[in-house]
Amino acid sequence: MTHSSPPRETWRELFAQSSGIPAGKLRWWLSDLLDCPLTRLPLDSRPDPARRERFFDALRRLERNEPVQYICGKAPFLDFEVRVTPNVLIPRPETEQLVERVLKQLPDTPLEILDVGTGSGCIAIALKRARPQWTVRAVDLSEKALAVARENARNLGAEISFSQADLLQGLPPGSVDGIVANLPYIGEAERGDLPAEVRDHEPGLALFADHDGTALVLELMRQARAVLRPSGQIFLETGETQSPVYRNAAAELGWHLESFRDLADRERFHVLSY
Ligand SMILES: C[S@@+](CC[C@H](N)C(=O)[O-])C[C@H]1O[C@@H](n2cnc3c(N)ncnc32)[C@H](O)[C@@H]1O
């Protein structure tokens, strides 16, 4: 790769020098840099020296497996974009399905909703945008994540009350109609199987939980009854092999559990009621 050649190449020629980096990532990065739709990228134009320099900077970061969303500082979620930093998980398309499930199952009436482990705030913001009459609260253990979530909510005009908490700690009893949670669910033993992009760059606090990844979801199930109103429901996103664990726990704790599959046909979502 010639980092020092004169700035005469087109974007297409620069991309051709970056073997090993998927073209899709470079196109996404360029689309962000030029604020241009992916379908209209001026690949045959020649970047000015400053943009050419930014290209090689992005390339160095991509070569270190840094997710393109952290390089661009943003990620799409449903019909909006959130700012993302290495302090928050990059929102995943599966989580959009979790939001859709909540919107489908909870009534369109004034409700108190809680997003546990809010990260970038994507779930809480999506719910508040879709149901302005809901009162949405969001908690996270990480103050750094909460700072990003607060900024996203402010930028997107979503009125959400954020606070730092360990799961449902400190919440008034019987105060919530719906709990939504995409908590960490990966076991330490699976660390080595994760793509380097995830393992080396996304926050460990957002990925890993004890007991093969099930500890936080199980603890949430234990704590939730006190916080939920009698007709309340919990909406969970979890790991695809973990359903039997949650099914057993639900039976022990007296919850009714219904599971749903993601678009790749993996059983990833659970709705609990009692
Ligand atoms: C998998 S990420 C999900 C982020 C976001 N909700 C999403 O769907 O993109 C899990 C989040 O849970 C937070 N978290 C981890 N342990 C927690 C705990 N004990 N209590 C509250 N939040 C926790 C992490 O900081 C992280 O932001």
Side-chain angles (χ1 to χ4, degrees):
M1 191 181 313
T2 4
H3 288 213
S4 56
S5 54
R8 289 206 307 265
E9 313 93 322
T10 61
W11 286 112
R12 196 186 299 283
E13 287 159 349
L14 280 175
F15 284 12
Q17 293 177 36
S18 56
S19 57
I21 305 298
K25 284 189 186 174
L26 290 170
R27 283 174 185 245
W28 184 348
W29 171 82
L30 184 61
S31 150
D32 182 57
L33 180 76
L34 302 180
D35 196 17
C36 171
L38 276 168
T39 48
R40 301 234 179 99
L41 291 177
L43 291 174
D44 294 314
S45 72
R46 296 172 197 278
D48 58 46
R51 288 200 170 111
R52 187 174 179 278
E53 196 44 51
R54 289 180 70 174
F55 168 79
F56 285 113
D57 178 56
L59 197 57
R60 275 188 289 273
R61 294 173 70 178
L62 289 168
E63 282 168 351
R64 289 198 297 264
N65 296 314
E66 197 169 332
V68 68
Q69 294 92 333
Y70 288 152
I71 298 172
C72 296
K74 62 189 184 187
F77 191 74
L78 290 165
D79 62 344
F80 58 94
E81 264 178 359
V82 285
R83 190 168 93 82
V84 291
T85 73
N87 291 314
V88 299
L89 190 92
I90 296 163
R92 303 296 203 270
E94 291 86 343
T95 307
E96 298 178 347
Q97 276 183 268
L98 179 70
V99 168
E100 282 158 5
R101 174 64 49 190
V102 177
L103 295 174
K104 192 170 165 188
Q105 288 203 209
L106 287 182
D108 192 0
T109 53
L111 297 177
E112 302 273 340
I113 304 297
L114 176 70
D115 172 22
V116 185
T118 196
S120 64
C122 59
I123 295 175
I125 293 168
L127 293 175
K128 186 65 186 177
R129 280 163 67 92
R131 297 282 184 269
Q133 72 277 36
W134 288 359
T135 301
V136 180
R137 278 185 280 178
V139 297
D140 204 291
L141 198 53
S142 160
E143 281 290 5
K144 287 181 177 168
L146 284 167
V148 175
R150 282 194 182 97
E151 185 188 333
N152 280 325
R154 203 169 38 245
N155 290 343
L156 289 157
E159 194 191 322
I160 294 162
S161 137
F162 292 98
S163 49
Q164 200 242 351
D166 182 353
L167 298 179
L168 305 182
Q169 177 196 53
L171 283 157
S175 61
V176 174
D177 299 292
I179 294 175
V180 191
N182 175 22
L183 283 163
Y185 56 72
I186 301 172
E188 266 301 328
E190 294 170 72
R191 186 183 281 269
D193 301 333
L194 293 174
E197 266 196 4
V198 176
R199 186 188 59 230
D200 299 344
H201 294 281
E202 297 203 73
L205 188 63
L207 299 174
F208 301 107
D210 290 341
H211 299 288
D212 296 329
T214 62
L216 284 167
V217 170
L218 289 174
E219 183 55 29
L220 180 78
M221 286 169 68
R222 282 183 213 109
Q223 293 181 7
R225 187 164 282 233
V227 169
L228 277 178
R229 297 201 168 114
S231 60
Q233 298 183 58
I234 313 178
F235 298 81
L236 300 171
E237 179 175 336
T238 71
E240 64 183 287
T241 60
Q242 297 171 342
S243 297
V245 177
Y246 305 129
R247 212 167 283 129
N248 287 342
E252 270 172 33
L253 293 163
W255 290 103
H256 170 75
L257 178 144
E258 204 180 348
S259 301
F260 298 91
R261 292 179 175 272
D262 67 12
L263 295 173
D265 205 29
R266 300 169 301 186
E267 199 167 71
R268 300 280 314 282
F269 310 110
H270 311 283
V271 180
L272 294 120
S273 53
Y274 65 97

